[in-house]
Amino acid sequence: MEFDLMTGSSTWGEAAKLAQAVEGAGFSGMLYTETGQVPWMQLAAAATAAPSLTFTTGIAVAFPRSPMVSAQLAWELAGETRGRFRLGLGSQVKGHIVRRYSSEFDRPAARMRDYVLAVKACLRAFRREEKLSHEGEFFNLSLLPAQWTPRKHDYGDVKVDISSVGPIMNGVAGEVADGVHVHPMHTMHYIRERLLPEVAQGAERAGRDVTELDLIVPVFAAPGDSPEELAPLIRRAKTQVAFYGTTPNYSFQFTDLGYEGVTEKLRDLMRTGDIAGMAEVITDDMLEHFALVAPWNEMGARLKDRYGGTAARVVMYLAEEQIRKDPDMVHKWGEVAQATRS
């Protein structure tokens, strides 16, 4: 099981510096989100500075980009990193796709299925295995003159992963993706009882072996050796679970655990701007399901106990904030990384 750092917006110089520190501490890789900044340039800067790490987008927003553009970016990054890049794609939510990107969102699961197949058709054409020919419900690509074909390299078997939560998108992941980005707000009950069976059903429909798909799992890991050290991380984890928990599509996770009406409470508090109140709704008992709280010297073992045999990669959701505030913290996280990977 590999151990990665989740990171977001930064300058190219900061991205390179952080990557060097993470590599030196013993992490496996870095996962780049796409929020206020596209991931590609800072990822390239980081990859140049840290040649042993694996890099992934987690996730790059798919629908505002042509599948050809995503495939070209993935191809270039795979070549420059000598195969240490995975393309992670996600649908985002309708409000962002329609109102922030001015793009189409209709039938996102079917669109994502077609999108991934289109990206993979582009990659096959880049590998010179076949002419570009993808005719789908949403995307049609059939023109790739020689002068527009990316240069050849030896790392063209690029993994294409997607994020998914609900049963339809989980099925799509099983049908067409190489890996699944599990939502940061998850429980092991959700992974075992919902996600894995739904992914397996999709794989069966496509005649695929579900064991060939990788699970990439962001974790609210909160390590600390005293109540004072743990308090800010616990508060941060509760706040993030509460924020995600306002989304009606995720409310079933609370219900599955016997916590009724949580999403409604969170949405009422969000309307009034009561962020602190939202975090208080997430009790310590709830948090045990959605996060891992443990002493520093136990965190690696706890991660292996919970995710070993299930996740290909665990991704630390909260670590970057600590490391940016105190660069020496990278060494403590590095000890967790080495314990997790051992």
Side-chain angles (χ1 to χ4, degrees), residues 125 137 172:
E137 182 178 0
V172 168

Side-chain angles (χ1 to χ4, degrees), residues 31 106-107 127 129-130 154 191 227 305:
L31 179 146
D106 180 54
R107 298 173 58 215
R127 294 194 296 264
E129 293 176 0
E130 62 188 41
D154 296 329
I191 289 177
D305 286 345

Side-chain angles (χ1 to χ4, degrees), residues 144-161:
L144 189 64
Q147 64 267 36
W148 296 100
T149 303
R151 61 180 177 79
K152 292 182 69 173
H153 59 65
D154 296 329
Y155 308 97
D157 188 17
V158 184
K159 301 296 185 185
V160 182
D161 312 315

Side-chain angles (χ1 to χ4, degrees), residues 3-9 18 22 27 29-34 56 58-59 181-184 216-220 236 240 244 314-321 323-324:
F3 186 96
D4 297 346
L5 178 75
M6 178 179 284
T7 185
S9 299
L18 180 61
V22 164
F27 283 64
M30 299 179 74
L31 179 146
Y32 281 81
T33 61
E34 180 170 11
T56 184
I59 50 80
H181 284 266
V182 179
H183 196 279
I216 301 164
V217 187
V219 182
F220 297 124
R236 178 74 176 84
Q240 197 61 50
Y244 286 134
V314 289
V315 187
M316 298 303 99
Y317 192 103
L318 303 175
E320 184 192 19
E321 289 182 30
I323 293 168
R324 290 199 183 278

Side-chain angles (χ1 to χ4, degrees), residues 213-229:
L213 275 74
D214 296 327
L215 255 61
I216 301 164
V217 187
V219 182
F220 297 124
D225 294 329
S226 69
E228 294 76 20
E229 187 179 14

